[in-house]
Amino acid sequence: MATKAAVSVSVAASVTAASSSSSKFGINTPHRFLCLQRLSSFSSFSASALAIKCTSISNCSPNKPARSMEGFTTRTRASAQPLENADELIASVETFIFDCDGVIWKGDKLIDGVPETLDMLRSKGKRLVFVTNNSTKSRKQYGKKFDTLGLNVNEEEIFASSFAAAAYLKSINFPKDKKVYVIGENGILKELELAGFQYLGGPEDGGKKIELKPGFLMEHDKDVGAVVVGFDRYFNYYKVQYGTLCIRENPGCLFIATNRDAVTHLTDAQEWAGGGSMVGAICGSTQREPLVVGKPSTFMMDYLANKFGILKSQICMVGDRLDTDILFGQNGGCKTLLVLSGVTSLSMLQSPSNSIQPDFYTNKISDFLSIKAATV
């Protein structure tokens, strides 16, 4: 097995290297270098400032693509400390990045104290950004959800993995004459449409069935250059087979995952199988690993830092998941705060088998109001 050494690769170097490689359909695919090129379509994003980690080149062959931006090495850290001085943490950063599910809400129910906490942070001049791995909605749709819950959040402060998928395709200059097959919901379709990409699949394929007869051959669109897989409540065998055919038979076809979350919060009553279950099915049928654009990939962190001109050391990532939210913050060089209002319990955090330790932990974000909250 190839050594999974983490290598820091600058975009300038990757673009130079990638430009010398040939592509089967006219773009520099990330299978060998697995590094982000310039985000030419986003004027606020400076590609020269972007650096991501990828696994060693020997493990990045087209036949066995590396796990891209997931290929991080977890480092030994001191045990997480309970948040005892909220003022000190608030004063130490300029920006708070919040996960949504399990931090701001559960299902369609707002977590207690959230509005007052966000108002307090804004009153102290803090920038607030909301990042979610849930790809079922577009940024505009998430804006409506915040509004419905009584939260004053504008679209520019919201970053969903559906947006990240479209932004990534723009970053590699994905050809406009190629198509994207979507295993996912309307959020991905809307973001792809806004970015100007052709797409097929999505919810409308949810009702399609395959009648297996002797000699039956399923056709697929040879112009599909990328398959994007996200959380999909209309997931079925038709989609698995169609996506598999595109990835395995269309030369250079990309396999992109919005996230690999094991579970999600569809309701506040229990956990539900997450987008990782859909991604896992395609991994199994294609024997390929996806390029992941959602947390804990650094793609959205780099995009946000450049868009807002934020130093990563001046960011605190607040989330309820160790392997996505906290790792996302750590990979980006940010401070991290775990809240126990979502999927992670205190026993899970303190388990000897857990190697991911945030800087601090607390019960919920409204603890900012009660733990030595001070006036400015």
Side-chain angles (χ1 to χ4, degrees), residues 25 174-179 198 223:
F25 55 80
F174 185 75
K176 292 300 177 70
D177 61 342
K178 288 292 175 179
K179 301 174 185 177
Q198 301 180 68
D223 288 330

Side-chain angles (χ1 to χ4, degrees), residues 174-195:
F174 185 75
K176 292 300 177 70
D177 61 342
K178 288 292 175 179
K179 301 174 185 177
V180 180
Y181 183 68
V182 176
I183 299 175
E185 300 192 17
N186 283 323
I188 300 173
L189 304 187
K190 289 182 179 298
E191 294 292 358
L192 289 173
E193 184 176 0
L194 287 171

Side-chain angles (χ1 to χ4, degrees), residues 52-124:
I52 65 170
K53 294 179 184 293
C54 62
T55 54
S56 59
I57 298 301
S58 63
N59 199 36
C60 297
S61 67
N63 294 326
K64 186 182 178 182
R67 293 177 71 171
S68 173
M69 296 172 280
E70 283 190 308
F72 298 105
T73 303
T74 55
R75 56 191 183 278
T76 302
R77 299 175 63 90
S79 296
Q81 298 299 308
L83 183 64
E84 296 178 344
N85 192 330
D87 271 357
E88 186 176 341
L89 177 59
I90 293 170
S92 70
V93 296
E94 296 176 355
T95 300
F96 283 90
I97 298 179
F98 292 100
D99 176 47
C100 295
D101 296 325
V103 178
I104 305 298
W105 58 64
K106 279 190 175 183
D108 290 321
K109 183 179 180 181
L110 199 62
I111 294 174
D112 291 343
V114 167
E116 297 85 354
T117 304
L118 300 184
D119 287 345
M120 180 272 290
L121 292 173
R122 289 191 193 278
S123 73
K124 291 178 179 287

Side-chain angles (χ1 to χ4, degrees), residues 75 301 317 324-336:
R75 56 191 183 278
M301 182 68 76
M317 175 65 210
T324 54
D325 301 325
I326 301 306
L327 201 55
F328 176 65
Q330 290 177 353
N331 289 338
C334 308
K335 292 182 174 67
T336 54

